[in-house]
DNA sequence: GACAAGCAACTTGTCAGGCAACTAGGTCAT
DNA sequence: ATGACCTAGTTGCCTGACAAGTTGCTTGTC
């Protein structure tokens, strides 16, 4: 039997599919089922864990979604050849966890610094035009007295796009989004950001752009690092208890 | 039909749940359903897309797994407040795709270089002992004439562990695993790696270890970059058409 | 006896219907 | 008006069933 005991605290507890997914995932990760090996049938798994077949199907469906197993109709479900998942799970337990956001920011700094360096080496004329366009848009936002958050995002996107590496683009995009949503939720509880701050950001962006245009990888990395360090300092205001 | 642009990378044909998951995911991403908003009931979704409720359940289950949707029994399913997923999907379409593995290696170099830098700043005595232990194990493997792949992996793991940042550890681990599985599958088709190569790797590891022990962040990064650049060059042998 | 065609058992994919647990909003008695 | 109660609606989970596809064994043929 598998009584779900740890549920009465709050409304939502882990569903049976959640639990089963975790168990199967662990068993695969621990090498209990080896890559290429056939999993038990859904019926057997259902009996083993005392759940119904739809639950098993859902759990296996998630594992397929993660690239850990592949299944062939009529044949069975098999552990993926690589054995390791195709997705990187960023476990965000809580939006207000300070250590967590610190860790993400640190990783973001690493990724975006390298991305900026690569951008300086590979940017095309189109990339430069795109970057220039975002700078102009940001300046226009400043002139209108707006914070220009969207323009800021677009500028960073244009940089990672110039790396010509979709993994850099996607990961940077992903991390950036998480940090910004944290800021957004955190800011709603505190005072608004200063108005003149955007101009500082614009200056840092300008420096990054110049380095990228010059094709100076080292300077591009330095400029990006400084920008990100400043951004992290500004963020630190929201991380104070 | 069946756009199948992204996932369901390996299965023979995309299942209905795969397709529906993609559709719902797109609709959420495109802002058709806004964060915090309630999704249609499972019954309605089933009718809308012409599938049964279990299929809808499986699709929504995957979205919950990805952190895009949260559901409360009796109330309904809602788009997560953040709106953006909690997982980063690394879309690996093919193990033998050279551009893809090149991109991953590039990202791995960025992450691991920064990780090594951080490790130099934060390593504890336990970390140093762990690193030293892995170096010794690698040396023992060399003396036995073995390639020492496991020891190599453990050394890198010990480094990212020393960053004290679980995101660095998990991501680096993840990327490293993908690259190594590629090498493993690629190597089975070609000649074996040279025997004396492990000694070279060991020298580079030694340099990294010294920098970390000295707490010299800049030198640690340089050593890591050189090691990774060499590793990438060695890998390039398998990337030749 | 070797071999190929075909068949039967098994497995996954999908559907239908139903009951239990839970939520939310309206109703009714006080 | 206000609080308890009740009912409709929703998700969580189950049983049962059929379709589609694969695998291995049987059987018939040479």
């Amino acid at each position: 039997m598998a009584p779900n005991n740890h549920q009465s605290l709050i409304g939502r507890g882990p569903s049976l599919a959640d639990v089963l997914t975790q168990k199967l995932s662990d068993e695969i990760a621990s090498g209990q089922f080896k890559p290429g090996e056939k999993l038990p049938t859904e019926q057997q798994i259902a009996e083993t864990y005392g759940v119904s077949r739809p639950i098993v199907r859902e759990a296996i469906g998630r594992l397929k979604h993660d690239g850990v197993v592949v299944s062939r109709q009529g044949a069975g479900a098999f552990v993926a050849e690589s054995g390791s998942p195709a997705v990187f799970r960023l476990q965000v337990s809580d939006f207000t966890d300070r250590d967590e956001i610190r860790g993400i920011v640190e990783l973001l700094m690493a990724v975006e610094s390298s991305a900026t360096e690569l951008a300086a080496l590979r940017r095309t004329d189109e990339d430069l035009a795109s970057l220039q366009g975002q700078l102009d848009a940001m300046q226009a936002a400043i002139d209108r007295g707006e914070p220009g958050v969207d323009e800021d995002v677009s500028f960073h996107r244009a940089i990672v796009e110039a790396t010509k590496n979709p993994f850099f683009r996607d990961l940077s995009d992903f991390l950036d989004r998480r940090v910004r949503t944290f800021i957004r939720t955190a800011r709603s509880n505190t005072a608004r950001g200063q108005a003149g701050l955007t101009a500082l950001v614009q200056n840092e962006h300008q420096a990054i752009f110049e380095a990228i245009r010059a094709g100076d990888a080292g300077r591009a990395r330095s400029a990006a690092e400084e920008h990100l360090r400043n951004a992290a300092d500004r963020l630190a205001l929201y991380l104070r208890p």
Side-chain angles (χ1 to χ4, degrees), chain A:
Chain A
M1 289 292 278
N4 40 354
N5 32 7
H6 50 290
Q7 189 151 319
S8 45
L9 292 166
I10 219 162
R12 45 156 178 239
S15 69
L16 292 182
D18 289 332
V19 176
L20 181 58
T21 303
Q22 190 62 48
K23 281 183 180 173
L24 291 176
S25 178
D26 289 345
E27 287 183 1
I28 292 173
S30 73
Q32 197 159 336
F33 297 116
K34 301 206 184 310
E37 193 174 338
K38 184 179 172 306
L39 292 176
T41 69
E42 297 179 350
Q43 196 68 256
Q44 286 175 319
I45 295 176
E47 290 171 2
T48 302
Y49 291 98
V51 296
S52 70
R53 221 193 103 193
I55 297 299
V56 176
R57 280 198 61 74
E58 187 170 330
I60 290 183
R62 295 183 188 184
L63 295 180
K64 282 198 297 181
H65 194 52
D66 286 358
V68 180
V69 311
V70 295
S71 64
R72 278 160 38 220
Q73 183 172 345
F78 303 83
V79 179
E81 284 300 336
S82 74
S84 59
V87 308
F88 169 63
R89 263 215 147 61
L90 189 71
Q91 300 283 19
V92 179
S93 61
D94 187 2
F95 286 105
T96 59
D97 190 317
R98 284 161 180 81
D99 287 338
E100 215 163 67
I101 194 68
R102 255 190 275 261
I104 292 178
V105 168
E106 209 165 73
L107 182 56
L108 177 62
M109 290 175 69
V111 172
E112 206 137 341
S113 298
S114 295
T116 307
E117 189 176 349
L118 286 174
L121 297 173
R122 298 185 186 161
R123 85 286 185 283
T124 63
D125 291 343
E126 287 76 21
D127 293 324
L128 290 178
S130 172
L131 286 167
Q132 182 68 64
Q134 297 306 333
L135 280 179
D136 293 345
M138 184 105 168
Q139 189 59 50
I142 293 175
D143 294 343
R144 287 196 305 274
E146 294 173 9
V149 178
D150 291 342
E151 290 79 3
D152 188 7
V153 173
S154 298
F155 182 74
H156 284 263
R157 271 212 63 111
I159 289 178
V160 295
E161 200 74 54
T163 64
K164 305 292 179 296
N165 185 333
F167 299 112
F168 263 103
R169 181 196 56 199
D170 293 345
L171 179 60
S172 178
D173 210 48
F174 172 70
L175 295 172
D176 195 54
R177 205 182 304 240
R178 289 232 75 87
V179 174
R180 288 181 193 277
T181 50
F182 169 82
I183 293 176
R184 203 157 29 236
T185 58
R187 182 142 59 190
S188 65
N189 303 355
T190 74
R192 288 299 314 274
Q194 301 90 320
L197 191 139
T198 311
L200 291 177
V201 172
Q202 175 76 338
N203 281 342
E204 295 168 9
H205 281 185
Q206 205 97 41
I208 294 173
F209 172 70
E210 286 303 327
I212 291 178
R213 184 168 66 179
D216 187 336
R219 192 150 59 88
R221 168 178 281 277
S222 302
E225 282 176 346
E226 189 184 332
H227 173 50
L228 291 163
R229 196 160 32 239
N230 290 340
D233 289 345
R234 292 189 281 266
L235 174 67
L237 297 178
Y238 303 113
L239 295 177
R240 204 77 51 192

